[in-house]
Amino acid sequence: MVEHIVIFKFNETTSVEQQTEAIQKLKNLKHEISGIIDIQAGLNFSDRSQGFQVGLTVRFEDKQSLEAYGPHEKHQEAVSYLKEIGLSDIVVVDFEL
C-alpha cells in the first residue's frame, strides 16, 4: 500500500466555502478512480500550519495506482478547481506502508 499526503495553501480571497467544496471534490475521487482504498480530507485547525489550510490523505493499493491517479481525468478536474479558487502552494509526501 501507498500513502499519499498533500497539504494545500490558498490565497487570501479563497473562502472557507470554496475550500469545503474542494474537500468534497477530492473525497469524491474515491468513487471515481480505481486503486484508491481510502481518502480523507478536511480543513486544518492547527496553529502550526504555516498557512496551509486543507489536508488530504489518499491510501492506494500500490505504486501503480498512485501513478495512474495523477493524470486521471477526474483528478485533473479536481486540480483545475483547486487552481480556479486560488491554490497557491502544496506539499506532497508519498510513502509505502
Side-chain angles (χ1 to χ4, degrees), residues 9-75:
K9 186 183 290 186
F10 296 92
N11 65 39
E12 60 280 347
T13 62
T14 306
S15 70
V16 172
E17 292 79 14
Q18 288 172 313
Q19 292 175 40
T20 301
E21 177 69 20
I23 288 166
Q24 192 55 55
K25 288 179 182 294
L26 291 166
K27 286 181 173 182
N28 288 343
L29 296 176
K30 181 177 181 180
H31 309 291
E32 300 173 328
I33 302 175
S34 63
I36 295 174
I37 296 170
D38 188 47
I39 289 185
Q40 299 296 323
L43 295 172
N44 183 28
F45 60 83
S46 173
D47 60 359
R48 300 176 293 162
S49 68
Q50 298 181 26
F52 287 84
Q53 298 129 309
V54 172
L56 168 74
T57 62
V58 185
R59 186 162 291 175
F60 292 96
E61 292 174 359
D62 49 34
K63 282 184 178 180
Q64 292 78 17
S65 298
L66 171 61
E67 290 167 5
Y69 170 79
H72 192 283
E73 176 185 358
K74 292 296 185 179
H75 176 255

